[in-house]
């Protein structure tokens, strides 16, 4: 089986049993890898009765067919399970070096089942896997944990993915961290890991991914690298990081300010990627096999937010812990970002939930009695510092915040003011700036995720002409559903492959690499078909867990027009777009389920039977 190692490691933490199973080749052909493949497996293992924090919720670490090869920007892995934050499909993908190492250790994925009676970590090396005591690691931060494990196994090259205090204490949006600040952050996959008493997975291997056509693969990689070398966007990401897009996105009204209630924040210039490059940046950092190197290394030499060299904040973090809270102090934002990484917290959900609390405080919905006497004032990094620690420890008001913004809103009768969809805090791309993002958030299988479709890129000028995904007027709503659905299909394929969204190489190059790796015939249209199959599989997964048409909605806060900035007066007509979308998708407009015919046409017969019954 080319392009795959051909097996999955299965670890039962309850019994301590460790075994391997052959990778289902048929599933790989249909669902490619990554999140697509994980969803196909999890579909058979999770149902509406599965408690996301119960031992019965399996946790998947999965790679794609290009992970660990020389394919540019493909050194990624994904972690999937039923999400404790949303109760729906959970998926968090990460760069770094951990994913490739899983493949070098001869596994395409790791399935974690059950719950360990005491804290443990999984150690994989020299073709063997074993559970080791992690009681001495419990309570340690993510950086400390990685170093301690490398020391214990006496191998600095071991790659470690671990949780911090937030995962241990079951904060609902805990991340899994690896390498120098790389995060599988969204939907609380670190929380699932904590619920299993699994502190870390440490892996080391020496294998190689078997390729069907090695020479051809190498030639394609060389061609792609020369494209990257001349690409302006790649150069911009390398020099200024993803936070380099802040100025432009702010101009368009995409970057949210003051918890999505103000269209302008001129002081944000102090947070931009170019300011970072001129002040605290010590250099770029990269993931395995990636020529982009969009990661940041920063150092703050003095002052209140002093930091020895560590990972710097990327765009989402600069917005979530900066503009959303009206904090314009870059060293402070870098410090808050570092705290989240060390505790193992998703920076988007953390910043957004804290900002929501600030908004409720300002509106008088909550007061000092609820916040442990903390005065929540915009632009105050010291209070945010305290709150991040309280969330990770689930201490006082932090215990409420650790449940996420939907539950915070529910608790105080203000759910419609929470900037979340189905429990997941929306990404830092205001849907009033790009109407497509309204559909993206409302229909994403994760809730308010920008990682299932980054249509904001397309609508701000990065059209994908070879895929038939053009740039259209960003405020237009009519006819947009077709483009959004096509883009979601493409990104579902990318999340299965797994390729980083920041790569600007042609789509066809990645398809050529998949062909050379696996030996499969893969015409471009088949990639979109595979993406559509995965999209509908995730939808069927969620429908079975109780998601309906009524859940494809947005909170009122995000549908209020702003009186200033790049979106002044604009609010997308979500209902119109949804009507078109349901037609394009062939989803039932009453229940929200994919039609039986659609599921059957995609080869999802089992799902058709589950959702519609055996008859007709
Ligand atoms: S573009 Fe950035 S995040 Fe993506 S793989 Fe490369 S270094 Fe990692």
């Amino acid at each position: 089986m080319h392009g795959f190692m051909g097996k999955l490691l299965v670890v039962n933490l309850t019994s301590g049993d460790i075994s391997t199973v052959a990778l289902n080749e048929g599933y790989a052909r249909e669902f490619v890898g990554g999140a697509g493949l994980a969803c196909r497996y999890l579909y058979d293992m999770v149902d509406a009765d599965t408690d996301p924090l119960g031992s019965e919720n399996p946790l998947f670490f999965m790679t794609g067919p290009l992970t660990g090869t020389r394919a540019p920007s493909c050194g990624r892995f994904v972690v999937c399970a039923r999400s404790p934050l949303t109760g729906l499909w959970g998926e968090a993908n990460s760069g770094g070096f951990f994913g490739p190492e899983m493949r070098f250790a001869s596994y395409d994925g790791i399935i974690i089942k059950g719950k360990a009676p005491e804290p443990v970590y999984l150690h994989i090396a020299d073709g063997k896997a074993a559970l080791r005591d992690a009681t001495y690691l419990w309570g340690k931060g993510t950086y400390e944990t990685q170093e301690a494990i490398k020391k214990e196994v006496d191998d600095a090259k071991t790659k470690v993915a671990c949780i911090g205090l937030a995962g241990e204490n079951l904060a609902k949006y805990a991340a899994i961290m690896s390498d120098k600040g790389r995060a599988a952050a969204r939907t609380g996959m670190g929380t699932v890991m904590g619920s299993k008493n699994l502190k870390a997975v440490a892996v080391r291997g020496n294998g190689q991914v078997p390729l069907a056509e090695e020479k051809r693969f190498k030639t394609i990689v060389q061609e792609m690298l020369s494209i990257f070398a001349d690409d302006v966007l790649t150069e911009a990401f390398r020099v200024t990081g993803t936070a380099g897009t802040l100025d432009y996105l702010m101009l368009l009204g995409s970057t949210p300010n003051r918890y999505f209630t103000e269209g302008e924040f001129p002081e944000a210039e102090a947070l931009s990627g170019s300011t970072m490059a001129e002040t605290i940046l010590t250099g770029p950092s990269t993931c395995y096999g990636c020529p982009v190197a969009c990661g940041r290394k920063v150092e703050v030499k003095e002052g209140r937010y002093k930091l020895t060299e560590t990972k710097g904040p990327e765009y989402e973090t600069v917005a979530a812990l900066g503009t959303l809270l009206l904090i314009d102090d870059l060293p402070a934002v870098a410090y808050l970002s570092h705290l989240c990484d060390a505790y193992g917290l998703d920076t988007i959900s953390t910043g957004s939930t804290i900002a929501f609390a600030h908004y409720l405080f300002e509106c008088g919905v909550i007061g000092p009695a609820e916040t442990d006497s903390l005065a929540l004032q915009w632009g105050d990094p010291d209070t945010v510092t305290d709150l991040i620690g309280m969330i990770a420890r689930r201490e006082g008001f932090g215990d409420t915040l650790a449940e996420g913004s939907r539950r915070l809103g529910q608790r105080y009768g203000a759910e419609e003011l929470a900037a979340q969809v189905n429990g997941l805090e929306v990404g830092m791309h205001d849907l009033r700036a790009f109407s497509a993002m309204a559909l993206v958030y409302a229909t994403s299988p994760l809730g308010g995720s920008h990682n299932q479709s980054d249509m904001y890129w397309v609508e701000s000028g990065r059209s994908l002409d070879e895929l038939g995904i053009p740039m259209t007027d960003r405020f237009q709503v009519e006819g947009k559903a077709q483009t959004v659905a096509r883009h979601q299909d493409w990104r579902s394929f990318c999340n299965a492959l797994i390729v980083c969204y920041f790569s600007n190489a042609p789509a066809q190059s990645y398809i050529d690499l998949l062909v050379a790796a696996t030996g499969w015939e893969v015409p471009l249209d088949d990639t979109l078909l595979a993406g559509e199959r995965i999209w509908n599989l995730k939808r069927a997964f969620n429908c079975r867990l109780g998601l309906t048409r009524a859940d494809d909605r947005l909170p009122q806060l995000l549908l209020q027009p702003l009186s200033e900035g790049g979106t002044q007066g604009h609010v997308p007509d979500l209902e119109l777009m949804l009507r078109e979308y349901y037609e394009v998708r062939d989803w039932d407009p009453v229940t929200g389920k994919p039609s039986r015919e659609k599921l059957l046409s995609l080869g999802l017969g089992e799902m058709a039977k589950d959702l519609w019954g055996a008859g007709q």
Side-chain angles (χ1 to χ4, degrees), residues 63-77 94-104 157 159 178-180 182 204-209 211 217 221 225 228 285-295 498-500 503 510:
T63 61
L66 300 180
T67 309
T69 70
R70 291 164 172 234
S73 316
C74 290
R76 304 183 71 83
F77 69 104
S94 173
F97 295 79
F98 179 83
E101 204 69 32
M102 271 169 60
R103 300 258 281 179
F104 302 153
K157 290 186 175 169
K159 305 295 181 292
S178 60
D179 299 302
K180 303 217 181 314
R182 291 286 165 186
R204 181 88 157 96
N206 301 305
Q208 269 192 345
V209 181
L211 301 174
F217 194 93
V221 170
L225 290 178
F228 277 107
S285 76
T286 196
C287 303
Y288 176 88
C290 182
V292 181
C294 75
I498 308 167
V499 56
C500 183
S503 163
Y510 283 108

Side-chain angles (χ1 to χ4, degrees), residues 248-521:
Y248 180 51
L249 292 176
M250 183 64 83
L251 187 75
L252 295 175
S254 172
T255 306
N257 310 303
R258 199 188 182 103
Y259 198 57
F260 296 89
T261 60
E262 273 182 10
E264 289 173 346
F265 181 40
E267 294 82 358
E269 199 183 333
L271 304 177
S272 75
S274 44
T275 305
M276 202 183 311
E278 288 160 8
T279 55
I280 60 174
L281 188 77
T282 55
S285 76
T286 196
C287 303
Y288 176 88
C290 182
V292 181
C294 75
R296 306 288 85 187
K297 285 190 279 187
V298 297
E299 184 181 25
V300 179
K301 292 205 169 90
E302 55 195 22
R304 196 177 183 81
Y305 302 108
K306 195 171 168 184
L307 281 174
T308 49
E309 190 182 73
T310 188
K311 185 199 89 175
E314 35 60 67
Y315 168 79
E316 298 293 326
T317 300
V318 157
L321 295 169
T323 65
L324 212 55
L325 287 151
L326 299 188
I327 294 172
D328 60 1
D329 179 337
L330 185 57
V333 171
Y335 181 80
L336 298 174
S337 167
H338 175 73
L339 270 188
C340 286
D341 290 348
Y343 284 129
L345 279 166
D346 173 9
T347 55
I348 296 177
S349 288
T350 304
S352 196
T353 304
I354 291 175
F356 183 36
H358 278 63
Y359 184 56
L360 293 179
F361 194 91
E362 181 182 61
C363 296
V365 177
I366 59 172
E370 286 77 25
T371 64
D372 302 323
S373 303
L374 286 171
L376 307 189
Q377 307 287 348
W378 299 110
D380 172 14
D382 290 349
T383 305
V384 178
T385 301
D386 291 343
L387 289 172
I388 289 173
M390 289 162 69
I391 290 170
R393 294 187 296 272
R394 294 203 74 131
E395 187 181 280
F397 185 49
D399 189 46
T400 303
L401 298 182
E403 290 293 308
S405 53
R406 177 170 63 178
R407 291 185 180 97
L408 177 64
Q410 285 168 345
R411 182 171 179 145
Y412 297 106
E415 189 177 348
E416 285 301 321
L417 299 180
Q420 54 76 37
V421 176
N422 287 318
L424 184 68
E425 289 69 25
V426 299
M428 297 296 110
H429 306 277
D430 196 316
L431 56 91
R432 288 163 289 201
F434 306 108
S435 59
M437 289 308 290
L439 259 190
V440 165
Y441 289 141
T443 64
S444 156
L446 276 65
S449 168
H450 65 293
N451 291 327
Q452 300 291 295
S453 164
D454 49 341
M455 272 296 296
Y456 59 92
W457 275 123
V458 175
E459 299 217 305
S460 55
R462 193 178 167 200
S463 62
L464 298 167
D465 298 329
E466 60 183 322
L467 295 163
I469 299 171
M471 179 188 172
T472 51
D473 183 306
R474 68 189 177 111
F475 295 129
Q476 179 195 324
V477 287
E478 290 88 357
K480 196 144 277 186
Q482 180 79 49
T483 310
V484 170
R486 202 171 173 82
H487 193 258
Q488 288 170 328
D489 292 345
W490 170 245
R491 284 314 197 192
S492 286
F493 175 76
C494 291
N495 289 342
L497 200 54
I498 308 167
V499 56
C500 183
Y501 286 10
F502 300 135
S503 163
N504 208 26
Q508 187 60 51
S509 302
Y510 283 108
I511 299 166
D512 292 344
L513 284 176
L514 177 65
V515 171
T518 60
W520 299 343
E521 288 277 319

